[in-house]
Amino acid sequence: MIVKVENVSKTYKNGVKALQNLSFEVREGEIFGLLGPNGSGKTTSINCILSLLKYEAGNIEIFGESMTPERYDLKAQIGYVPQQVAVFNELTVEENIDYFCGLYVKDKQKRKSLVDEAIDFVSLNDYRKFYPKKLSGGLLRRLNIACGIAHKPRLIILDEPTVAVDPQSRNKILEGIVKLNKQGATIVYTSHYMEEVEQICSYIVIMDKGQVVSHGTKEKLKAMINLGETIEITLPNRNEAYLDLFRQLPNVLDCFYKDRILVVKSGKGQTNIPNVLQLMNEHDIKYETIYSSLPTLNDVFLEITGKELRD
Amino acid sequence: MRIYFTRLKCLIRDKGNLFWAIIFPLCLGTFFYLGFGRLTMDSFIDTIDTYVASDYYSDLLVSQMQEVKINTDKPLFNVNVDKTKAELEQLLQDKKIKGYIYVENNEITYRVNGSGVDQTVTKGFLDQYLQISELIVKVSTTNPEKINDVINDLAKQRSYVKEILSGSNPKANRLNVYFFALIAMACLYGSFWGIGLVRDIEADNSPLAARVNITPTHKFKLIVTYFLAALTLHFSGNMMLVLYLKYLLQIEFSNNLLLIILTSFVGTIGGITFGAFMSILVKGTPEKKEGIVNIICLFLSFLSGLMFLDVKYFIDRNIPFFSYVNPASLLTDSLYSLYYYNSLSRYFLRLSILAVLSLIFISGTYFKMRGNRYDSV
């Protein structure tokens, strides 16, 4: 077990109960996703794991040993990418990575090659001599990541590394995380973007109000809910009478409008697309587009908590 | 060493702090110099044209007035006794003269048409003249045999004043205290580096510090290294200021350069540790802390005589304890003692107190910072 969080509770001074008997385990080689809406306790969990925060109850182990602020031997094997960009504005890209890498690796030659590798990894070769202020948001995030992974840690914790990042940089970051995992690092990845977690994580814990609401592989999580398929039909005009028509179709769980889009949610089983198309033909319902999608983690979260991930 | 040099690089490239801690005191020193750096008591007061009524005057008074000198060549009063009281009154009404003196029945009257430096100085002289005259008259009537002792005592008092002023520096200039206070302020501005130290190491102060906290580098090592980097830079800046004032602007300091350097060194430590300590005490963002510490530094410097010299004397007279706990006052007084006194005991007392205060500041900072986990980050 790489990380073991056991019944951890944390209450802030203002009375907010950030974590309530939180428990989960991260196994070696996983990309472990911690998914939850803003304020669900993801960052608090990470800060407790890293021994930055005090907590009233529970136990945290890393690499099978109890984690405390003095466990420098454990810290030496961890890489941390904080949610906010945390680099020195007075140092260039290369100097920043070298500084943070140097807090772990003393040997100058070894460090130089690690820094070069990290710069390559985040594709910042053309920006080596740039100061952080001259970098775009996406490039800054990549620098933030490079500072946390340059020393090739065994465990890498990334706290929402893609917040406010353009799609191109986001894809690069996600590809990079998968690559790090393939190189042997265990990853703990927190996000409120379900697509990202679905895309890269092999095991997912869904959090809400400081508690684990569900956990498992994405397939397992999706199998836990009744929803099977969501069909979205864009209509030229909204007609409330159609709702009753679609609700009469077999296996339909719910039917509602999102602006001009008619959403039909069906239960597990066969696809409902042929039935929907037949109904529209029979009643001469004109449509512009029609899409069918399988359940997402948001659907899982919605079904378990009654609210959307991004509420 | 690598952490030390990288930290030093960061500090040198931090233009904001560099300005406040190094450039600003240099600029202020230049402004002080341009404003009153060349002023001494010699140049501050010119010979005052004084008028004594020819029909109501006293030989003794006129001769005493003619004897008073600003320096060996420059008399304090240019006494004119060629006009009558009526003529002088007319000139006063016409605002052609600032004032005149007449003596009637042994009573001295000084008539003026407004206030100003000349009138104040003249009145001051007349008050002193009257006091001494009364004392001599009183003693000569009650104890005539002691009149010589009194005159000798008065003469001794004068020479005693001269002795103090000529102790270590024959050209002692009280305006130099402004420059001493400026050096004290520059040392205290090391506070900004102290705040930076806490900001970049205390996990609940910044994301950067949180990141540093989860590395395998010991916190004590970081504190010492960051402190040494700040000390190097700020001490260099303060030495630049001292050398700039002493050799370029020719401001008079003690001739003991080694002790001036020592003062600046202890002052720099005091400034940085003070900032770090305040940063631990004050809650809020680093910007808020910088604002508060900036105000405190300026206030402490103000109390040590940076803006108005009389404030320092007022504090020294009425709240002496405060002068012993105000780092700015301790620094100003250390330099003042070096400049004015032959004995070094006063100097070392103040410097020792400052060293002890610095020790308290750094110990307090470390004991708070060594806290392992935080309530929130």
Side-chain angles (χ1 to χ4, degrees):
Chain A
M1 208 60 61
I2 293 285
V3 181
K4 188 175 178 186
V5 177
E6 216 172 10
N7 298 319
V8 172
S9 295
K10 161 76 185 168
T11 307
Y12 285 108
K13 275 187 171 173
N14 58 9
V16 171
K17 286 186 177 177
L19 302 179
Q20 300 177 61
N21 285 317
L22 185 77
S23 298
F24 59 79
E25 290 177 354
V26 181
R27 281 173 291 273
E28 184 144 30
E30 268 180 351
I31 299 184
F32 178 91
L34 208 50
L35 180 68
N38 288 329
S40 59
K42 301 185 296 293
T43 300
T44 303
S45 308
I46 297 301
N47 287 334
C48 287
I49 291 171
L50 293 170
S51 256
L52 284 172
L53 279 181
K54 289 176 187 167
Y55 47 90
E56 308 91 73
N59 182 44
I60 292 173
E61 284 180 11
I62 295 184
F63 309 125
E65 304 207 35
S66 187
M67 179 63 176
T68 65
E70 295 80 21
R71 289 304 301 267
Y72 296 109
D73 56 331
L74 301 182
K75 286 180 174 180
Q77 301 175 70
I78 303 172
Y80 170 53
V81 179
Q83 190 172 350
Q84 283 173 284
V85 176
V87 295
F88 288 97
N89 285 326
E90 300 81 14
L91 298 178
T92 63
V93 164
E94 190 173 3
E95 287 168 342
N96 260 302
I97 301 170
D98 182 61
Y99 179 76
F100 285 108
C101 187
L103 295 175
Y104 298 84
V105 181
K106 305 297 166 202
D107 183 85
K108 200 176 172 183
Q109 286 305 316
K110 191 179 171 195
R111 200 169 66 238
K112 192 180 178 317
S113 81
L114 286 173
V115 170
D116 287 343
E117 217 175 302
I119 290 174
D120 263 347
F121 185 78
V122 292
S123 307
L124 282 176
N125 268 308
D126 296 339
Y127 304 94
R128 278 174 176 264
K129 303 290 174 202
F130 278 53
Y131 286 96
K133 278 183 182 168
K134 299 280 177 192
L135 299 177
S136 67
L139 295 177
L140 258 182
R141 288 274 163 192
R142 286 196 235 164
L143 169 61
N144 200 33
I145 291 171
C147 290
I149 55 116
H151 58 288
K152 286 200 179 284
R154 194 174 154 201
L155 167 67
I156 301 172
I157 298 175
L158 300 109
D159 191 6
E160 308 227 24
T162 57
V163 169
V165 166
D166 59 281
Q168 195 193 349
S169 287
R170 177 176 294 189
N171 283 335
K172 268 201 172 292
I173 290 169
L174 296 178
E175 283 166 18
I177 290 166
V178 173
K179 204 168 151 189
L180 283 168
N181 178 246
K182 281 182 180 161
Q183 287 171 0
T186 302
I187 312 282
V188 174
Y189 186 87
T190 82
S191 180
H192 63 271
Y193 296 127
M194 56 176 179
E195 304 89 348
E196 289 181 0
V197 173
E198 272 198 75
Q199 189 182 333
I200 65 167
C201 293
S202 49
Y203 196 87
I204 299 159
V205 161
I206 300 178
M207 282 184 76
D208 189 40
K209 295 177 180 170
Q211 290 173 312
V212 174
V213 292
S214 192
H215 61 92
T217 61
K218 61 184 169 191
E219 293 79 14
K220 189 187 157 197
L221 286 168
K222 287 176 186 177
M224 286 162 64
I225 58 171
N226 289 325
L227 183 68
E229 179 187 36
T230 302
I231 299 167
E232 294 185 339
I233 309 151
T234 310
L235 302 171
N237 296 302
R238 190 168 158 150
N239 187 337
E240 302 298 324
Y242 294 161
L243 289 174
D244 285 338
L245 285 175
F246 281 96
R247 278 178 189 144
Q248 285 165 19
L249 285 172
N251 203 22
V252 167
L253 299 174
D254 197 6
C255 184
F256 54 89
Y257 272 110
K258 272 199 305 192
D259 296 327
R260 281 195 297 126
I261 301 170
L262 181 73
V263 182
V264 182
K265 290 196 177 256
S266 309
K268 283 179 193 169
Q270 286 191 327
T271 175
N272 230 346
I273 283 274
N275 296 330
V276 167
L277 289 173
Q278 193 185 344
L279 181 81
M280 288 198 292
N281 242 346
E282 284 169 5
H283 293 84
D284 198 24
I285 299 170
K286 301 273 184 284
Y287 65 93
E288 291 169 3
T289 59
I290 182 163
Y291 287 108
S292 166
S293 58
L294 292 170
T296 63
L297 290 176
N298 188 46
D299 297 317
V300 177
F301 190 78
L302 185 66
E303 193 161 316
I304 296 170
T305 67
K307 60 183 183 182
E308 302 246 1
L309 262 170
R310 288 175 205 170
D311 271 357
Chain B
M1 285 307 275
R2 193 190 59 84
I3 298 175
Y4 168 81
F5 282 116
T6 310
R7 182 68 185 170
L8 198 59
K9 206 186 279 182
C10 283
L11 298 181
I12 289 169
R13 290 177 185 169
D14 182 348
K15 292 188 177 63
N17 277 1
L18 211 59
F19 172 80
W20 285 108
I22 295 174
I23 310 296
F24 179 65
L26 283 172
C27 295
L28 209 57
T30 309
F31 290 138
F32 275 14
Y33 173 77
L34 295 174
F36 50 72
R38 288 235 174 253
L39 283 182
T40 61
M41 286 312 285
D42 295 4
S43 56
F44 194 62
I45 299 170
D46 267 332
T47 299
I48 302 164
D49 282 326
T50 313
Y51 299 88
V52 181
S54 57
D55 43 352
Y56 292 95
Y57 86 105
S58 148
D59 279 332
L60 184 61
L61 173 65
V62 171
S63 66
Q64 284 296 310
M65 290 183 85
Q66 283 167 337
E67 262 186 35
V68 184
K69 302 270 194 281
I70 297 170
N71 57 36
T72 48
D73 309 319
K74 201 170 168 187
L76 179 59
F77 298 109
N78 173 28
V79 189
N80 300 283
V81 200
D82 55 354
K83 290 187 175 57
T84 63
K85 185 184 163 194
E87 288 171 325
L88 289 171
E89 184 61 32
Q90 191 54 52
L91 287 170
L92 187 74
Q93 297 302 325
D94 296 343
K95 298 201 171 172
K96 287 186 176 162
I97 58 171
K98 292 176 181 171
Y100 73 91
I101 299 161
Y102 66 94
V103 185
E104 193 172 14
N105 301 324
N106 285 330
E107 257 190 35
I108 300 170
T109 306
Y110 180 39
R111 281 186 55 73
V112 292
N113 60 6
S115 60
V117 175
D118 288 1
Q119 291 93 321
T120 307
V121 171
T122 307
K123 186 180 177 303
F125 166 80
L126 291 173
D127 288 345
Q128 205 173 359
Y129 172 82
L130 279 173
Q131 278 175 13
I132 293 171
S133 307
E134 278 171 18
L135 181 68
I136 290 171
V137 169
K138 197 175 171 187
V139 172
S140 61
T141 50
T142 54
N143 294 302
E145 69 283 1
K146 288 190 175 172
I147 189 71
N148 283 338
D149 293 344
V150 172
I151 290 168
N152 284 339
D153 276 352
L154 287 169
K156 267 185 200 166
Q157 206 175 348
R158 253 189 212 170
S159 65
Y160 174 69
V161 172
K162 273 184 189 170
E163 242 170 48
I164 288 178
L165 291 176
S166 63
S168 64
N169 196 326
K171 289 180 183 172
N173 176 2
R174 73 195 281 269
L175 292 171
N176 281 7
V177 178
Y178 284 110
F179 292 95
F180 301 158
L182 175 67
I183 292 170
M185 186 205 78
C187 288
L188 273 195
Y189 267 19
S191 305
F192 291 117
W193 307 120
I195 294 170
L197 182 151
V198 174
R199 180 196 61 214
D200 292 346
I201 295 180
E202 272 292 84
D204 56 356
N205 271 241
S206 66
L208 192 61
R211 174 170 235 165
V212 167
N213 264 264
I214 59 105
T215 68
T217 307
H218 200 286
K219 210 179 215 181
F220 183 71
K221 184 180 174 184
L222 283 173
I223 294 173
V224 171
T225 317
Y226 282 22
F227 173 76
L228 288 177
L231 181 65
T232 307
L233 184 63
H234 197 53
F235 179 59
S236 309
N238 285 339
M239 281 320 298
M240 269 169 59
L241 176 68
V242 169
L243 298 177
Y244 174 71
L245 294 176
K246 186 170 170 63
Y247 294 108
L248 255 86
L249 302 187
Q250 301 279 307
I251 304 300
E252 294 160 12
F253 283 91
S254 160
N255 292 325
N256 196 334
L257 188 62
L258 208 64
L259 289 183
I260 295 174
I261 293 172
L262 178 68
T263 315
S264 184
F265 185 71
V266 177
T268 307
I269 293 174
I272 297 168
T273 54
F274 176 71
F277 189 62
M278 289 308 296
S279 191
I280 289 290
L281 290 184
V282 177
K283 298 288 170 206
T285 62
E287 291 73 25
K288 180 184 163 191
K289 290 177 182 184
E290 279 185 3
I292 290 172
V293 169
N294 196 359
I295 291 167
I296 293 174
C297 285
L298 275 175
F299 183 63
L300 293 177
S301 302
F302 168 75
L303 296 181
S304 75
L306 181 69
M307 289 96 175
F308 302 104
L309 209 47
D310 290 341
V311 174
K312 174 181 161 45
Y313 296 133
F314 177 81
I315 300 286
D316 287 350
R317 264 198 315 273
N318 298 297
I319 329 167
F321 169 77
F322 194 75
S323 298
Y324 285 102
V325 292
N326 175 3
S329 285
L330 288 168
L331 278 165
T332 308
D333 277 348
S334 298
L335 292 167
Y336 179 90
S337 307
L338 270 184
Y339 181 55
Y340 280 95
Y341 295 95
N342 281 328
S343 164
L344 290 176
S345 57
R346 185 186 155 103
Y347 165 78
F348 278 117
L349 173 68
R350 274 147 184 82
L351 211 61
S352 305
I353 295 172
L354 185 60
V356 170
L357 280 180
S358 305
L359 198 65
I360 293 170
F361 293 151
I362 195 70
S363 307
T365 306
Y366 178 68
F367 281 112
K368 180 72 173 64
M369 283 178 81
R370 77 186 176 135
N372 297 324
R373 288 184 173 123
Y374 300 84
D375 290 321
S376 61
V377 292

